[in-house]
Amino acid sequence: MLHIYDHQVRQARLNQSHPTHVNPSWYGDSVAHYEGDTLVIDTVGIKVGPFAMVDWYGTPHTPALHVIERYRLLNYEAAKDGLQRDAKENFRIRRPLQDRDQKYLQLQFTVEDEGAFTAPWTATMTFSRGGADWPEIVCAENIQWYPGKSAEVPRAAKPDF
C-alpha cells in the first residue's frame, strides 16, 4: 500500500503466517488472505512509542494491539449509505460522489488491545475515487505539511545549480 505522505509503503504478505517472533515496527507485521471478494489483512507487532498511535486522535495502545482490516469493492447502491454517513461525520470527506458506474472501496477494521481497551471496537469507512492528482511532495522545497498546513522550510536566495 502506498501512502500519499512521506513516501510511506506498507506491505502485507499474502497467504503467509506471522513469524514466531515479530520485531515491532511502525506498521507492524501484516499478513493477508482473501475471503471471497474481501481482502483481509491481519496486523500485529505495531511499535509502541511516543509518536505511535492507532488513529489521528492519539488513541493509546500496547504491544498487544491486533488490527484486522477487511477491504472490498462495492457498487453505488451498496456504498451510498456509508458515503452519506462519512460525509456527515468525517471532517475529511467533502461530499459523497454519486457516480453509479464507479466502484467504491469499503474498509471495515477491528481493533483489539487488552492492554488499552475493555473490548474490541470496529469502524467502517467507504471511499470513493479521488478527483485530484496526488500532489508533488518529493522535493525538499515543498512547503506542504501534514495535514495541509504550510511548513517552515529553509529556502536559498538562489539555486545551487
Side-chain angles (χ1 to χ4, degrees), residues 74-80 83-84 96-104:
L74 304 174
N75 63 26
Y76 174 75
E77 289 303 316
K80 72 178 179 181
L83 291 168
Q84 291 168 350
L97 298 176
Q98 297 183 8
D99 182 349
R100 295 184 182 278
D101 296 327
Q102 179 179 319
K103 292 290 185 183
Y104 299 85

Side-chain angles (χ1 to χ4, degrees), residues 1 10 24 26 35 62 87 94 98 138:
M1 294 183 182
R10 177 177 165 218
W26 295 119
E35 292 178 1
T62 72
R94 305 292 186 263
Q98 297 183 8
V138 173

Side-chain angles (χ1 to χ4, degrees), residues 9-155:
V9 176
R10 177 177 165 218
Q11 297 179 354
R13 297 180 315 281
L14 279 170
N15 302 320
Q16 294 186 22
S17 300
H18 294 291
T20 304
H21 175 72
V22 174
N23 187 21
S25 63
W26 295 119
Y27 284 123
D29 183 75
S30 298
V31 295
H33 67 276
Y34 278 94
E35 292 178 1
D37 62 353
T38 301
L39 176 64
V40 180
I41 301 178
D42 181 299
T43 303
V44 297
I46 298 173
K47 190 174 192 171
V48 176
F51 304 109
M53 59 183 170
V54 174
D55 55 27
W56 285 22
Y57 308 104
T59 302
H61 67 277
T62 72
L65 180 65
H66 181 205
V67 179
I68 297 180
E69 303 158 275
R70 304 176 90 70
Y71 293 88
R72 65 186 185 130
L73 289 176
L74 304 174
N75 63 26
Y76 174 75
E77 289 303 316
K80 72 178 179 181
D81 290 341
L83 291 168
Q84 291 168 350
R85 182 188 68 243
D86 289 347
K88 179 180 173 186
E89 298 177 6
N90 190 326
F91 72 93
R92 292 178 293 150
I93 307 296
R94 305 292 186 263
R95 60 174 167 65
L97 298 176
Q98 297 183 8
D99 182 349
R100 295 184 182 278
D101 296 327
Q102 179 179 319
K103 292 290 185 183
Y104 299 85
L105 180 66
Q106 182 186 69
L107 163 60
Q108 178 187 60
F109 60 94
T110 301
V111 177
E112 301 173 310
D113 187 340
E114 293 178 0
F117 309 118
T118 57
W121 54 275
T122 299
T124 303
M125 292 283 299
T126 305
F127 300 95
S128 59
R129 185 180 310 268
D133 293 332
W134 280 29
E136 173 64 58
I137 58 172
V138 173
C139 87
E141 296 168 349
N142 183 348
I143 62 166
Q144 293 301 308
W145 192 252
Y146 179 81
K149 298 177 184 173
S150 291
E152 295 297 326
V153 177
R155 298 174 202 272

